Amino acid sequence: MYRTTSSAASAVAPVVALLTLLTACGNAPAKTPADAHEPAKASTHAGGPVTARDAFRVMSARVRTATLTGTVTAENDPNHLLGRPGEYTSKVTFSDSWVQASQVTGADPGDVERGGAVEVFASASDAEARAVYIRDIAKSSPALTEYDYVRGSVLVRVSRYLTPKQAAAYATAAEQLG
């Protein structure tokens, strides 16, 4: 029995083996089902949060009244901003037990007035630009007023129904974000 190999097949085999080895040895962490719609490393901070979910975890450890209510995806983003140039790269929404249900009757799930939102941007200047945009809108319509805290590339938006003292807890928590 004779075995024949072409020179092309002989040259390709080591390349395929090398690529297979390199692909199999990748060290990227596997995404959990909860993070399936969250971009990996949406933003970088020196040792700080890199996604809105990460930032929320840090904040909710300090503000125990906050409860995660949703992760915004490109498919469910009511603002259609997720992943667009200059806009947030990840976003989560949360409720706060300090906000009374009677105050937010008719508000959609995920509305900032129910508690708040955390938005993460590619840069600190993008986060600040978004905060300025929101403040400018609120100037013309007081019903849209909210508390906004920018820390690096993270924007923390908090319900207007919180007292200044309650909202200050979020400001303090935001300082821990990087």
Side-chain angles (χ1 to χ4, degrees):
M1 181 177 234
Y2 293 36
R3 198 171 9 160
T4 60
T5 57
S6 72
S7 61
S10 297
V12 171
V15 173
V16 170
L18 179 62
L19 289 174
T20 302
L21 180 63
L22 290 174
T23 304
C25 292
N27 62 357
K31 286 190 174 190
T32 64
D35 293 330
H37 296 290
E38 188 107 15
K41 298 209 177 205
S43 176
T44 57
H45 298 275
V50 294
T51 66
R53 184 178 296 274
D54 295 332
F56 178 79
R57 283 185 191 124
V58 170
M59 289 183 31
S60 64
R62 293 191 173 258
V63 183
R64 300 287 181 168
T65 54
T67 303
L68 185 68
T69 57
T71 299
V72 175
T73 67
E75 292 76 28
N76 70 11
D77 184 2
N79 298 316
H80 306 287
L81 298 176
L82 183 70
R84 298 216 174 16
E87 302 298 345
Y88 43 83
T89 57
S90 68
K91 178 179 178 177
V92 296
T93 59
F94 59 91
S95 63
D96 189 303
S97 61
W98 282 327
V99 176
Q100 302 301 310
S102 61
Q103 294 174 307
V104 292
T105 302
D108 291 331
D111 279 357
V112 169
E113 58 190 13
R114 289 188 175 273
V118 178
E119 299 173 353
V120 176
F121 295 80
S123 71
S125 61
D126 289 343
E128 186 59 42
R130 172 83 165 146
V132 168
Y133 171 77
I134 292 167
R135 283 184 214 124
D136 287 347
I137 289 174
K139 285 178 187 175
S140 64
S141 180
L144 299 176
T145 300
E146 62 185 47
Y147 300 94
D148 294 325
Y149 306 105
V150 176
R151 178 69 174 179
S153 62
V154 179
L155 169 60
V156 179
R157 302 173 59 194
V158 182
S159 175
R160 66 187 168 104
Y161 291 114
L162 298 179
T163 67
K165 183 177 179 181
Q166 292 166 334
Y170 284 97
T172 300
E175 293 172 8
Q176 307 302 310
L177 296 178

